[in-house]
Amino acid sequence: MGAAMFGSTAFAPHAAANPSTGRARGREVAIFGGGMAGLSAAHELIERGYSVTVYEPSYLGGKARSMPVVGTGKGGRQDLPGEHGFRFFPGCYQHVPNTMSRIPVGDSNVKAAHLVSADALTLGLYGADYRPVIMPASRIGIKKTADTTLQLKNIQNAFIDMFASMKNIPMTEQTYAALRMTVMATSCQERRIGQWDNVSWMNYIKAYQMSADYRTYLATSFTSSLVAAKAQTASARTIGQTALALAYAGSGPLVPQYANGLLQGIDRLLNRPTNEAWIDPWVRYLTSRGVRFVMNTGLSGLRVSGRRITETQVTTSSGATSSVVADWYMTAMPVDRLKPLLTPDVLRAAPGLAGVRQLVDDWMVGIQYYLRKRAGTPTSHIALLGAPWSLTAIFQAEPWGQDIGRTYGDGEVQEILSVDISNWDVPGVLYGKTAKQCTAEEISREVWEQLRRGLNRGGYRLINDDELVRWHLDPGVTWRNGKAFNATPLLVNTAGSYPHRPTAETEISNLFIGGDHVRSNIDLATMEGANESGRRVANAILDRTDSNAERAAIYPLWEPELMDPLKDLDRDRWRQGLPHILDV
Ligand SMILES: Cc1cc2nc3c(=O)[nH]c(=O)nc-3n(C[C@H](O)[C@H](O)[C@H](O)COP(=O)(O)OP(=O)(O)OC[C@H]3O[C@@H](n4cnc5c(N)ncnc54)[C@H](O)[C@@H]3O)c2cc1C
């Protein structure tokens, strides 16, 4: 044990307390990071008899956690619930629902008890003069145009149907955007990675040549409603593939792989705050199975010899350092925290990790508004396309099915409007400042104003000043000397980033990488990608230990078989250096 090598021994973490067996096939795993990736790997490994310790400096659940608004609960009620950002579980997610189905709550499980389908999707067009369009879940996707069999034209028509609600975009442009989706659907993997991943979404749908509304709604807003991505830099492959996956997910029985019992549909969500519904029962379950959680402790150094990690350094929140020795090490921390650990020594042993330094993150942050009147709208995420700060939102009371006033706060709050702000670099409409230049108070007023202007249209009145009781911005955003900092930026899948993304296995034989930045089937910085990465790490450790345990399931995204001949044709053209046959 090499604690002295790194300094203080004031803190004795668990894995070190059970030193490595020294065997090449030992079963001691140290996981650094207790977010989605770390918890998923811990889940798979503990169920297969490994000894697992998770080191977490801040909060279990990471970016997927919820947080109480401390001190707001009165009269026996709980504190008002805040979220790092509201949670959206598209119908194409498979890993996350599978994990949820294996977390017990009472005599049920998280998936059965807490994951529910959305009724609709609400599209507000900022700047348009008509009311937001509430699209029932039953009308989204391909099923409207293809009841039993799927044809190529159905895909194009499904997108034209979606775009039809964006009345300001000329029909010819809507049709062109739909054609680009068909191109993506029929492109071979080689072209998707070799060509489309290097093109920005903006260029892919030729937004520069189209109308201003096409640029605003189909390029800029579409990417930032999904993640913190900007259309000018986001990978066309990532955004296009995700749009296809969402359309397929909304296609009900046509895609049994996504149907998942009664929960088919484009959008699913939790019927409680995320921690209450999912993270807390998960941590309880993992603890009951033997996972050890060492809190307030993060990875601060990796010591390499040859192609092996010989020791790791951890640092506690009070600054004390000590070492952890295990058989296998997994980093499950965000990419901005991983970068400084990739020292020249580490990169010499694992040159494949060099690209991590090229990966980019951006800001996406949650703010909640607590209201004294229930909205009474259907369970539906709201995308306010075209809002300067790229806002998406949801009213929580309906999906939670709770009397919020009776459960949380001081009884006054009956509704929670949870909003994600995805663009922090564009001036707002009230102060002419970007979100990064505003104070927290100014941000709360600005977002409220953008929601009011964008959603209260055509006689519709969703946002009412006299209903606002208070607001809560993610405390991870802080200000020092007038400059804003975000403790939890989110990876963005920029054009050309795929080759830089790490795989779960590295050239260092006992080091594995998890997190939403790891290459995954969904290829988008999400809980689903992070969960898949945790499973890939677990499987790699099973391989390295010659385990005969069943491997953790890894699910591909569904793509229709009827595309295969077209993809084969495209593969031939790709090999000959020719463009996609529909790429005009
Ligand atoms: C506002 C917002 C809304 C979102 N909404 C959705 C959504 O609706 N659906 C969806 O699928 N995804 C959503 N995402 C993305 C999703 O939350 C993340 O992609 C996912 O949670 C990432 O999981 P992770 O385990 O890779 O990383 P994280 O969640 O960041 O977890 C990493 C953990 O590592 C810890 N850590 C940091 N440094 C160290 C260290 N040195 N040593 C050890 N541990 C360390 C951190 O404290 C953290 O707990 C959203 C993200 C944001 C920001």
Side-chain angles (χ1 to χ4, degrees):
M1 267 268 307
M5 269 203 249
F6 285 121
S8 163
T9 52
F11 182 80
H14 251 297
N18 297 309
S20 159
T21 57
R23 286 178 292 128
R25 291 180 189 162
R27 293 188 151 227
E28 186 80 34
V29 185
I31 297 177
F32 301 104
M36 206 44 49
L39 295 179
S40 305
H43 194 141
E44 301 302 337
L45 288 165
I46 203 74
E47 288 188 345
R48 290 165 177 80
Y50 287 72
S51 168
V52 180
T53 308
V54 176
Y55 298 86
E56 169 54 55
S58 317
Y59 303 95
L60 295 171
K63 286 196 255 295
R65 76 190 170 100
S66 39
M67 56 192 88
V69 186
V70 178
T72 52
K74 304 266 156 59
R77 298 179 194 84
Q78 300 170 45
D79 283 340
L80 288 167
E83 294 277 332
H84 189 273
F86 65 72
R87 296 291 117 189
F88 166 48
F89 302 83
C92 58
Y93 280 16
Q94 300 165 87
H95 300 92
V96 163
N98 172 275
T99 297
M100 286 176 168
S101 71
R102 293 155 50 205
I103 303 170
V105 275
D107 52 9
S108 183
N109 62 70
V110 169
K111 181 182 168 210
H114 293 305
L115 192 65
V116 296
S117 291
D119 302 328
L121 179 67
T122 302
L123 273 188
L125 265 58
Y126 192 89
D129 53 8
Y130 47 88
R131 55 182 289 166
V133 180
I134 301 176
M135 296 193 287
S138 58
R139 286 181 57 90
I140 303 170
I142 299 168
K143 56 183 171 275
K144 197 181 140 214
T145 51
D147 286 341
T148 50
T149 50
L150 186 60
Q151 299 173 38
L152 191 56
K153 66 174 186 197
N154 301 129
I155 294 183
Q156 192 160 340
N157 290 345
F159 282 98
I160 291 175
D161 263 9
M162 281 275 294
F163 302 152
S165 55
M166 303 175 186
K167 296 179 196 153
N168 301 354
I169 301 177
M171 189 65 194
T172 46
E173 295 186 358
Q174 291 180 19
T175 310
Y176 182 75
L179 171 70
R180 298 306 281 170
M181 295 312 302
T182 316
V183 170
M184 186 63 75
T186 52
S187 288
C188 63
Q189 264 309 324
E190 293 85 340
R191 186 184 300 284
R192 288 191 192 177
I193 289 175
Q195 182 175 3
W196 302 140
D197 190 63
N198 294 319
V199 176
S200 72
W201 177 247
M202 195 83 156
N203 279 336
Y204 180 74
I205 60 165
K206 297 208 172 31
Y208 294 110
Q209 302 167 23
M210 304 289 183
S211 63
D213 284 328
Y214 181 96
R215 269 199 303 285
T216 304
Y217 300 129
L218 282 183
T220 314
S221 307
F222 185 62
T223 48
S224 50
S225 308
L226 275 181
V227 275
K230 311 256 189 316
Q232 297 89 331
T233 52
S235 152
R237 168 179 178 266
T238 298
I239 302 298
Q241 262 189 190
T242 306
L244 282 174
L246 292 177
Y248 296 146
S251 303
L254 281 178
V255 188
Q257 185 175 327
Y258 292 157
N260 278 318
L262 290 176
L263 286 179
Q264 56 203 30
I266 194 164
D267 182 9
R268 292 167 288 175
L269 56 156
L270 293 170
N271 63 3
R272 289 285 181 278
T274 312
N275 274 27
E276 200 178 317
W278 181 20
I279 306 297
D280 294 347
W282 200 3
V283 172
R284 273 198 299 276
Y285 171 68
L286 295 179
T287 306
S288 76
R289 293 296 301 251
V291 174
R292 291 167 299 222
F293 291 97
V294 180
M295 297 304 294
N296 304 316
T297 305
L299 179 65
S300 49
L302 295 167
R303 186 172 293 274
V304 199
S305 172
R307 297 249 156 164
R308 282 189 70 74
I309 299 289
T310 51
E311 190 177 7
T312 58
Q313 173 184 276
V314 291
T315 302
T316 67
S317 46
S318 62
T321 60
S322 59
S323 77
V324 168
V325 178
D327 299 305
W328 311 101
Y329 303 96
M330 172 189 185
T331 66
M333 59 195 52
V335 74
D336 60 304
R337 306 301 166 102
L338 176 61
K339 285 179 186 175
L341 295 168
L342 302 180
T343 58
D345 277 355
V346 174
L347 291 178
R348 252 190 305 280
L353 291 177
V356 168
R357 290 191 168 157
Q358 315 290 322
L359 299 178
V360 174
D361 49 34
D362 207 332
W363 291 32
M364 184 173 179
V365 178
I367 183 169
Q368 284 83 47
Y369 294 92
Y370 299 93
L371 312 174
R372 56 175 63 85
K373 188 160 167 272
R374 209 169 154 141
T377 49
T379 293
S380 167
H381 280 106
I382 302 167
L384 183 50
L385 301 184
W389 288 6
S390 293
L391 305 176
T392 43
I394 187 165
F395 286 101
Q396 295 288 15
E398 184 69 21
W400 286 359
Q402 273 176 319
D403 183 336
I404 288 187
R406 195 173 283 184
T407 317
Y408 305 104
D410 61 3
E412 190 182 4
V413 171
Q414 300 295 334
E415 178 65 275
I416 301 167
L417 175 60
S418 190
V419 184
D420 286 354
I421 310 169
S422 297
N423 195 330
W424 285 69
D425 300 303
V426 164
V429 295
L430 269 188
Y431 304 103
K433 295 197 273 186
T434 69
K436 284 179 184 164
Q437 293 165 334
C438 286
T439 62
E441 176 73 36
E442 286 170 339
I443 289 173
S444 79
R445 288 175 190 274
E446 175 71 48
V447 170
W448 185 256
E449 180 61 21
Q450 290 184 29
L451 292 169
R452 216 164 59 82
R453 291 190 194 180
L455 296 175
N456 290 355
R457 297 231 159 224
Y460 201 56
R461 220 178 144 72
L462 212 49
I463 306 296
N464 295 296
D465 293 345
D466 53 357
E467 289 168 10
L468 180 60
V469 178
R470 62 184 296 154
W471 52 270
H472 169 260
L473 178 69
D474 183 337
V477 178
T478 51
W479 282 262
R480 258 168 282 145
N481 305 323
K483 189 169 160 32
F485 295 86
N486 179 7
T488 53
L490 181 66
L491 178 95
V492 186
N493 294 66
T494 46
S497 63
Y498 185 80
H500 300 309
R501 308 249 306 276
T503 51
E505 290 186 75
T506 72
E507 293 114 323
I508 297 176
S509 60
N510 56 349
L511 178 68
F512 304 87
I513 312 287
D516 56 10
H517 45 284
V518 170
R519 290 184 202 180
S520 64
N521 291 334
I522 191 129
D523 188 42
L524 186 69
T526 52
M527 298 179 290
E528 176 74 353
N531 183 306
E532 181 184 327
S533 79
R535 290 162 182 254
R536 287 183 182 274
V537 167
N539 286 348
I541 293 176
L542 297 184
D543 289 347
R544 298 259 169 104
T545 47
D546 288 340
S547 166
N548 58 10
E550 193 181 334
R551 299 311 188 243
I554 305 279
Y555 304 96
L557 280 174
W558 182 86
E559 300 239 337
E561 267 175 36
L562 80 104
M563 301 297 172
D564 289 349
L566 295 162
K567 288 181 189 168
D568 290 343
L569 169 71
D570 187 48
R571 191 167 297 106
D572 286 345
R573 292 178 64 85
W574 169 252
R575 287 182 183 144
Q576 294 172 56
L578 295 172
H580 188 285
I581 200 158
L582 298 175
D583 185 16
V584 287

